[in-house]
Amino acid sequence: MYRWCTDEVEPQDRFDYWREVRAKGLFGVTAELEREQRTGFYGEFSLSQVGPGGLVELKASSYAVERSPSDINNAPSDSICVYQQLGGGGWFGGMRSSDFAIANGSFATSHTDLPYRTRPLGVSGFHLRILKIPVSGLATQDRRMRELAPKTFNDATLAPLLDACFADLGEAAAIEGSADAAPLVQALGHLALIERGIVRPGSRRGQAALRTARLSLARRLIARHLQDPDLAPSRVADLLGVSVRHLHMLFEVAERSFWQTVTEERLKRSRQLMREAPDRLIADIAAACGFESLATYYRVFNAAYGMAPGDFRARPQEAVNHPVGCRSRKAEPRPLFGQKP
């Protein structure tokens, strides 16, 4: 994962550097901001290679962005982008589509080689994720993908599935060489194509995308309701909108069954709480994680880790390397649109 922010550049040069090196060179777009507004400009982003795609999370002060015909000629890409708005809202306009706003938490998609303009709606600026997938990297090959002008998702049933996949993809991107990234990229790409009417939900690829996304969402629903000692497949299936049988079928293709996943998540949460609250009673932690009794918690914890919870708590915390601010990076990223950054 590559991280960069404008703190690495002198204040008076930050927007010019962002515009010429990052926006134009890496993202293949034209950035504009009134000169008198450039003094306080700030921007940061992370970029990860995820399976066949690239995942970007971007935060920046407000400015205008355009991918013009000349930008496209200079840096063609032939990819589709799936956008997740994370803060505030954004405006999109294109020469071949109607203008639209994308609200916080909403999604949009487009083909990279169609012109568009965008800017944040509020003073908070940009905060969004962008998944860019080369058309050649998708299992579906359909010429209509190259006609996808920017457009929001209108199918509300897809939003929680997209959100779960994006969250899982972000976690997979943080683990170098993770095998989980590629199927999530395919799922997100094909969910976007389902929404745009290019992939049928009942087709083989459509069903595969929905299975991957529903499994991601099921795991997150489990994590969200761990505190409930009566958490059962019927509860998760109801929240997911599928039958209990379908829920178990989702977990059949995964490494762990439904109940194994619940137990693993409860143990992971308990370890986290022991680290975060060293004075909290272990009995309280067990209850907070949904274990039906303290005895059950001790038995399950010992079976999983070969020690009692108290012994785990007494051990020194493992050393973990965390990025420091926005200066953590490995190497210069490859440009998303074919130019040198």
Side-chain angles (χ1 to χ4, degrees):
M1 178 180 291
Y2 174 88
R3 299 178 185 271
W4 187 87
C5 72
T6 49
D7 285 353
E8 299 189 17
V9 181
E10 293 297 324
Q12 68 273 14
D13 299 326
R14 286 175 180 172
F15 183 75
D16 289 339
Y17 187 91
W18 182 272
R19 179 185 60 192
E20 298 302 326
V21 179
R22 298 307 175 190
K24 182 74 72 174
L26 185 58
F27 299 114
V29 298
T30 299
E32 293 296 342
L33 182 63
E34 296 295 334
R35 186 163 296 278
E36 61 271 17
Q37 298 177 340
R38 296 181 184 182
T39 305
F41 178 78
Y42 176 84
E44 64 175 290
F45 69 89
S46 63
L47 171 61
S48 303
Q49 184 71 34
V50 284
L55 178 66
V56 173
E57 182 167 344
L58 181 146
K59 295 181 183 179
S61 307
S62 183
Y63 64 99
V65 176
E66 179 179 6
R67 183 143 164 86
S68 66
S70 61
D71 291 329
I72 294 166
N73 288 335
N74 291 332
S77 175
D78 195 22
S79 302
I80 66 167
C81 284
V82 186
Y83 307 88
Q84 181 183 25
Q85 189 74 24
L86 296 175
W91 169 87
F92 269 85
M95 298 175 185
R96 295 176 56 184
S97 64
S98 301
D99 295 1
F100 65 89
I102 175 170
N104 183 22
S106 297
F107 301 88
T109 188
S110 69
H111 188 273
T112 55
D113 293 350
L114 295 176
Y116 68 85
R117 300 184 184 93
T118 183
R119 66 172 183 268
L121 288 177
V123 296
S124 59
F126 286 105
H127 187 193
L128 70 159
R129 289 193 187 109
I130 308 168
L131 174 63
K132 174 179 167 288
I133 315 168
V135 167
S136 61
L138 284 165
T140 299
Q141 298 294 312
D142 190 304
R143 60 179 178 80
R144 290 176 294 172
M145 286 191 283
R146 296 178 174 87
E147 301 170 1
L148 296 180
K151 185 175 181 292
T152 54
F153 281 72
N154 295 320
D155 187 345
T157 64
L158 291 178
L161 300 176
L162 290 160
D163 188 62
C165 284
F166 259 115
D168 281 354
L169 187 59
E171 292 178 4
I175 304 171
E176 188 172 356
S178 173
D180 295 333
L184 288 166
V185 170
Q186 289 291 320
L188 281 161
H190 287 125
L191 288 175
L193 296 178
I194 286 173
E195 207 279 337
R196 299 298 289 265
I198 293 175
V199 169
R200 292 182 295 105
S203 68
R204 180 171 57 85
R205 294 188 178 103
Q207 288 180 336
L210 290 168
R211 280 196 303 270
T212 298
R214 285 170 178 158
L215 181 59
S216 285
L217 181 54
R219 288 169 171 158
R220 294 194 169 268
L221 289 169
I222 287 170
R224 201 175 301 162
H225 295 87
L226 282 180
Q227 186 174 336
D228 182 2
D230 298 320
L231 180 63
S234 57
R235 173 83 184 280
V236 176
D238 185 57
L239 292 170
L240 194 59
V242 300
S243 67
V244 173
R245 181 174 179 273
H246 187 85
L247 178 71
H248 284 299
M249 288 175 61
L250 293 176
F251 282 92
E252 282 179 3
V253 299
E255 293 180 359
R256 296 169 183 82
S257 69
F258 174 88
W259 288 115
Q260 287 172 328
T261 301
V262 170
T263 299
E264 182 182 50
E265 288 296 322
R266 283 177 169 158
L267 288 171
K268 185 168 67 174
R269 178 76 58 82
S270 75
R271 292 176 59 180
Q272 179 184 352
L273 291 176
M274 279 192 282
R275 294 301 192 195
E276 292 176 352
D279 296 327
R280 188 173 180 179
L281 293 176
I282 289 178
D284 289 344
I285 290 175
C289 296
F291 287 96
E292 60 185 14
S293 70
L294 184 59
T296 299
Y297 176 52
Y298 268 80
R299 176 176 54 79
V300 173
F301 195 98
N302 188 70
Y305 304 117
M307 68 181 75
D311 296 331
F312 170 82
R313 172 178 268 176
R315 295 177 63 185
Q317 187 170 0
E318 296 86 355
V320 179
N321 294 321
H322 294 289
V324 179
C326 61
R327 295 184 179 276
S328 173
R329 57 180 178 175
K330 291 184 177 179
E332 280 291 311
R334 289 181 291 177
L336 293 185
F337 292 94
Q339 293 177 324
K340 292 184 179 180

